[in-house]
PDB file of all heavy atoms in Angstrom:
ATOM      1  N   GLY K 139     270.041 -65.894  -4.388  1.00 79.00           N
ATOM      2  CA  GLY K 139     270.221 -66.972  -3.433  1.00 79.00           C
ATOM      3  C   GLY K 139     268.908 -67.391  -2.806  1.00 79.00           C
ATOM      4  O   GLY K 139     267.838 -67.271  -3.402  1.00 79.00           O
ATOM      5  N   ALA K 140     268.983 -67.882  -1.584  1.00 80.00           N
ATOM      6  CA  ALA K 140     267.812 -68.337  -0.836  1.00 80.00           C
ATOM      7  C   ALA K 140     267.540 -67.372   0.308  1.00 80.00           C
ATOM      8  O   ALA K 140     268.461 -66.940   1.002  1.00 80.00           O
ATOM      9  CB  ALA K 140     268.022 -69.747  -0.286  1.00 80.00           C
ATOM     10  N   VAL K 141     266.278 -67.022   0.491  1.00 82.00           N
ATOM     11  CA  VAL K 141     265.857 -66.078   1.529  1.00 82.00           C
ATOM     12  C   VAL K 141     264.999 -66.835   2.537  1.00 82.00           C
ATOM     13  O   VAL K 141     264.003 -67.467   2.163  1.00 82.00           O
ATOM     14  CB  VAL K 141     265.074 -64.901   0.926  1.00 82.00           C
ATOM     15  CG1 VAL K 141     264.635 -63.945   2.026  1.00 82.00           C
ATOM     16  CG2 VAL K 141     265.936 -64.165  -0.099  1.00 82.00           C
ATOM     17  N   PHE K 142     265.369 -66.778   3.809  1.00 82.00           N
ATOM     18  CA  PHE K 142     264.639 -67.447   4.881  1.00 82.00           C
ATOM     19  C   PHE K 142     264.141 -66.386   5.855  1.00 82.00           C
ATOM     20  O   PHE K 142     264.925 -65.542   6.300  1.00 82.00           O
ATOM     21  CB  PHE K 142     265.523 -68.460   5.612  1.00 82.00           C
ATOM     22  CG  PHE K 142     266.063 -69.544   4.730  1.00 82.00           C
ATOM     23  CD1 PHE K 142     267.306 -69.414   4.145  1.00 82.00           C
ATOM     24  CD2 PHE K 142     265.324 -70.678   4.475  1.00 82.00           C
ATOM     25  CE1 PHE K 142     267.810 -70.407   3.325  1.00 82.00           C
ATOM     26  CE2 PHE K 142     265.808 -71.674   3.661  1.00 82.00           C
ATOM     27  CZ  PHE K 142     267.058 -71.542   3.079  1.00 82.00           C
ATOM     28  N   GLY K 143     262.853 -66.440   6.161  1.00 83.00           N
ATOM     29  CA  GLY K 143     262.283 -65.461   7.075  1.00 83.00           C
ATOM     30  C   GLY K 143     262.615 -65.715   8.528  1.00 83.00           C
ATOM     31  O   GLY K 143     262.574 -64.791   9.340  1.00 83.00           O
ATOM     32  N   HIS K 144     262.951 -66.967   8.858  1.00 83.00           N
ATOM     33  CA  HIS K 144     263.260 -67.312  10.254  1.00 83.00           C
ATOM     34  C   HIS K 144     264.542 -68.142  10.290  1.00 83.00           C
ATOM     35  O   HIS K 144     265.328 -68.132   9.341  1.00 83.00           O
ATOM     36  CB  HIS K 144     262.075 -68.054  10.889  1.00 83.00           C
ATOM     37  CG  HIS K 144     260.819 -67.226  10.929  1.00 83.00           C
ATOM     38  ND1 HIS K 144     260.606 -66.242  11.859  1.00 83.00           N
ATOM     39  CD2 HIS K 144     259.720 -67.240  10.124  1.00 83.00           C
ATOM     40  CE1 HIS K 144     259.427 -65.683  11.648  1.00 83.00           C
ATOM     41  NE2 HIS K 144     258.867 -66.280  10.597  1.00 83.00           N
ATOM     42  N   SER K 145     264.743 -68.859  11.358  1.00 80.00           N
ATOM     43  CA  SER K 145     266.001 -69.572  11.560  1.00 80.00           C
ATOM     44  C   SER K 145     266.119 -70.762  10.616  1.00 80.00           C
ATOM     45  O   SER K 145     265.118 -71.311  10.142  1.00 80.00           O
ATOM     46  CB  SER K 145     266.091 -70.050  13.015  1.00 80.00           C
ATOM     47  OG  SER K 145     265.036 -70.958  13.289  1.00 80.00           O
ATOM     48  N   VAL K 146     267.368 -71.165  10.370  1.00 78.00           N
ATOM     49  CA  VAL K 146     267.694 -72.315   9.534  1.00 78.00           C
ATOM     50  C   VAL K 146     268.601 -73.232  10.342  1.00 78.00           C
ATOM     51  O   VAL K 146     269.612 -72.783  10.897  1.00 78.00           O
ATOM     52  CB  VAL K 146     268.400 -71.885   8.228  1.00 78.00           C
ATOM     53  CG1 VAL K 146     268.771 -73.107   7.401  1.00 78.00           C
ATOM     54  CG2 VAL K 146     267.504 -70.958   7.430  1.00 78.00           C
ATOM     55  N   GLU K 147     268.238 -74.501  10.438  1.00 79.00           N
ATOM     56  CA  GLU K 147     269.020 -75.476  11.179  1.00 79.00           C
ATOM     57  C   GLU K 147     269.663 -76.458  10.206  1.00 79.00           C
ATOM     58  O   GLU K 147     268.976 -77.095   9.413  1.00 79.00           O
ATOM     59  CB  GLU K 147     268.131 -76.245  12.163  1.00 79.00           C
ATOM     60  CG  GLU K 147     267.511 -75.370  13.235  1.00 79.00           C
ATOM     61  CD  GLU K 147     266.659 -76.166  14.198  1.00 79.00           C
ATOM     62  OE1 GLU K 147     266.629 -77.415  14.044  1.00 79.00           O
ATOM     63  OE2 GLU K 147     266.036 -75.566  15.081  1.00 79.00           O
ATOM     64  N   THR K 148     270.984 -76.568  10.260  1.00 80.00           N
ATOM     65  CA  THR K 148     271.702 -77.487   9.396  1.00 80.00           C
ATOM     66  C   THR K 148     273.025 -77.864  10.052  1.00 80.00           C
ATOM     67  O   THR K 148     273.667 -77.016  10.693  1.00 80.00           O
ATOM     68  CB  THR K 148     271.966 -76.864   8.006  1.00 80.00           C
ATOM     69  OG1 THR K 148     272.758 -77.757   7.216  1.00 80.00           O
ATOM     70  CG2 THR K 148     272.686 -75.542   8.137  1.00 80.00           C
ATOM     71  N   PRO K 149     273.457 -79.106   9.938  1.00 82.00           N
ATOM     72  CA  PRO K 149     274.731 -79.496  10.533  1.00 82.00           C
ATOM     73  C   PRO K 149     275.928 -79.177   9.645  1.00 82.00           C
ATOM     74  O   PRO K 149     277.065 -79.253  10.105  1.00 82.00           O
ATOM     75  CB  PRO K 149     274.579 -81.014  10.722  1.00 82.00           C
ATOM     76  CG  PRO K 149     273.652 -81.413   9.630  1.00 82.00           C
ATOM     77  CD  PRO K 149     272.701 -80.281   9.446  1.00 82.00           C
ATOM     78  N   HIS K 150     275.694 -78.818   8.389  1.00 81.00           N
ATOM     79  CA  HIS K 150     276.832 -78.648   7.480  1.00 81.00           C
ATOM     80  C   HIS K 150     276.457 -77.676   6.373  1.00 81.00           C
ATOM     81  O   HIS K 150     275.398 -77.798   5.751  1.00 81.00           O
ATOM     82  CB  HIS K 150     277.223 -80.000   6.871  1.00 81.00           C
ATOM     83  CG  HIS K 150     278.520 -79.971   6.130  1.00 81.00           C
ATOM     84  ND1 HIS K 150     278.956 -80.991   5.322  1.00 81.00           N
ATOM     85  CD2 HIS K 150     279.493 -79.023   6.076  1.00 81.00           C
ATOM     86  CE1 HIS K 150     280.123 -80.679   4.804  1.00 81.00           C
ATOM     87  NE2 HIS K 150     280.465 -79.485   5.255  1.00 81.00           N
ATOM     88  N   ILE K 151     277.312 -76.691   6.138  1.00 80.00           N
ATOM     89  CA  ILE K 151     277.177 -75.763   5.013  1.00 80.00           C
ATOM     90  C   ILE K 151     278.453 -75.872   4.194  1.00 80.00           C
ATOM     91  O   ILE K 151     279.552 -75.648   4.717  1.00 80.00           O
ATOM     92  CB  ILE K 151     276.962 -74.315   5.482  1.00 80.00           C
ATOM     93  CG1 ILE K 151     275.666 -74.209   6.300  1.00 80.00           C
ATOM     94  CG2 ILE K 151     276.890 -73.368   4.296  1.00 80.00           C
ATOM     95  CD1 ILE K 151     275.423 -72.830   6.842  1.00 80.00           C
ATOM     96  N   ARG K 152     278.322 -76.196   2.911  1.00 79.00           N
ATOM     97  CA  ARG K 152     279.485 -76.412   2.057  1.00 79.00           C
ATOM     98  C   ARG K 152     279.255 -75.792   0.692  1.00 79.00           C
ATOM     99  O   ARG K 152     278.152 -75.865   0.138  1.00 79.00           O
ATOM    100  CB  ARG K 152     279.747 -77.915   1.902  1.00 79.00           C
ATOM    101  CG  ARG K 152     280.991 -78.241   1.068  1.00 79.00           C
ATOM    102  CD  ARG K 152     281.181 -79.751   0.969  1.00 79.00           C
ATOM    103  NE  ARG K 152     280.060 -80.377   0.295  1.00 79.00           N
ATOM    104  CZ  ARG K 152     279.916 -81.690   0.153  1.00 79.00           C
ATOM    105  NH1 ARG K 152     280.821 -82.505   0.659  1.00 79.00           N
ATOM    106  NH2 ARG K 152     278.870 -82.170  -0.475  1.00 79.00           N
ATOM    107  N   ALA K 153     280.299 -75.176   0.145  1.00 80.00           N
ATOM    108  CA  ALA K 153     280.211 -74.589  -1.186  1.00 80.00           C
ATOM    109  C   ALA K 153     280.536 -75.639  -2.243  1.00 80.00           C
ATOM    110  O   ALA K 153     281.017 -76.735  -1.939  1.00 80.00           O
ATOM    111  CB  ALA K 153     281.175 -73.405  -1.306  1.00 80.00           C
ATOM    112  N   GLU K 154     280.251 -75.298  -3.498  1.00 79.00           N
ATOM    113  CA  GLU K 154     280.582 -76.180  -4.602  1.00 79.00           C
ATOM    114  C   GLU K 154     282.104 -76.311  -4.730  1.00 79.00           C
ATOM    115  O   GLU K 154     282.863 -75.433  -4.295  1.00 79.00           O
ATOM    116  CB  GLU K 154     280.001 -75.626  -5.901  1.00 79.00           C
ATOM    117  CG  GLU K 154     278.486 -75.690  -5.985  1.00 79.00           C
ATOM    118  CD  GLU K 154     277.984 -77.097  -6.213  1.00 79.00           C
ATOM    119  OE1 GLU K 154     278.783 -77.936  -6.677  1.00 79.00           O
ATOM    120  OE2 GLU K 154     276.805 -77.360  -5.930  1.00 79.00           O
ATOM    121  N   PRO K 155     282.581 -77.413  -5.313  1.00 82.00           N
ATOM    122  CA  PRO K 155     284.031 -77.548  -5.520  1.00 82.00           C
ATOM    123  C   PRO K 155     284.577 -76.387  -6.348  1.00 82.00           C
ATOM    124  O   PRO K 155     283.971 -75.972  -7.335  1.00 82.00           O
ATOM    125  CB  PRO K 155     284.165 -78.886  -6.258  1.00 82.00           C
ATOM    126  CG  PRO K 155     282.946 -79.659  -5.863  1.00 82.00           C
ATOM    127  CD  PRO K 155     281.857 -78.644  -5.700  1.00 82.00           C
TER     128      PRO K 155
END
Side-chain angles (χ1 to χ4, degrees):
V141 179
F142 300 94
H144 298 282
S145 62
V146 178
E147 297 181 4
T148 176
H150 191 191
I151 299 178
R152 183 180 62 185
E154 290 286 340

